[in-house]
């Protein structure tokens, strides 16, 4: 692995999604979005959002009051790493997640996410997130 770039495997992706869930449960949307690359693409049933700052703005518009965020759990269910060119270590990976969001009124929403992540000097970042 290149100097300064974190190893990309199921354990490091599980740690990444754990940090996302912890940030969500602290009502820290900036912490959630810190997991996204600057040029990330986020797709939901509502549409497509491009760029970390726009993803943050989208979350802030849907959750203007942190107390409405509820409790999030994420679980890695599948992982596939990709090597490009002559590299011996994976530089990108896809992961399938299940998610469950329990709102303060006890209403539960659940679904699936397919994320693409890349190893960077800044850590492992999400480049694409399709959550339904």
């Amino acid at each position: 692995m290149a100097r300064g770039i974190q190893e990309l495997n199921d354990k490091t992706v599980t740690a990444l999604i754990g940090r996302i869930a912890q940030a969500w449960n602290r009502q820290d949307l900036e912490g959630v979005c810190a997991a996204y690359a600057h040029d990330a693409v986020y797709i939901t049933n509502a549409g497509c959002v491009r760029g970390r700052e726009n993803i943050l703005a989208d979350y802030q518009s849907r959750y203007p009051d942190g107390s409405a965020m509820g409790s999030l759990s994420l679980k890695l269910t599948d992982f596939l790493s990709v090597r490009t060119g002559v590299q011996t270590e994976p530089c990108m990976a896809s992961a399938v997640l299940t998610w469950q969001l329990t709102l303060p009124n006890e209403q539960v929403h659940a679904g699936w996410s397919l994320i693409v992540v890349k190893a960077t000097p800044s850590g492992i970042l999400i480049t694409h997130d399709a959550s339904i």
Side-chain angles (χ1 to χ4, degrees), residues 19-117:
R19 289 190 301 275
I20 292 168
Q22 289 171 354
W24 184 275
N25 295 333
R26 289 192 311 268
Q27 303 173 359
D28 176 9
L29 291 175
E30 289 183 8
V32 169
C33 291
Y36 288 88
H38 288 285
D39 58 350
V41 176
Y42 179 59
I43 300 167
T44 67
N45 291 335
C48 179
V49 179
R50 295 178 184 275
R52 180 191 299 162
E53 294 303 318
N54 292 329
I55 294 168
L56 176 59
D58 181 66
Y59 275 130
Q60 289 171 331
S61 71
R62 289 187 286 140
Y63 299 97
D65 177 6
S67 65
M69 291 173 62
S71 176
L72 177 67
S73 64
L74 298 168
K75 181 180 178 188
L76 181 68
T77 63
D78 194 32
F79 176 84
L80 176 66
S81 61
V82 178
R83 289 172 178 79
T84 59
V86 296
Q87 295 176 327
T88 59
E89 297 292 333
C91 64
M92 296 191 80
S94 64
V96 176
L97 318 174
T98 58
W99 58 267
Q100 181 173 309
L101 179 62
T102 304
L103 297 175
N105 65 3
E106 301 303 318
Q107 186 178 13
V108 177
H109 299 272
W112 295 88
S113 293
L114 173 62
I115 62 172
V116 177
V117 295

Side-chain angles (χ1 to χ4, degrees), residues 6 9-22 76 124:
Q6 186 177 8
N9 57 41
D10 60 335
K11 290 183 177 91
T12 55
V13 171
T14 296
L16 173 71
I17 65 173
R19 289 190 301 275
I20 292 168
Q22 289 171 354
L76 181 68
I124 295 173

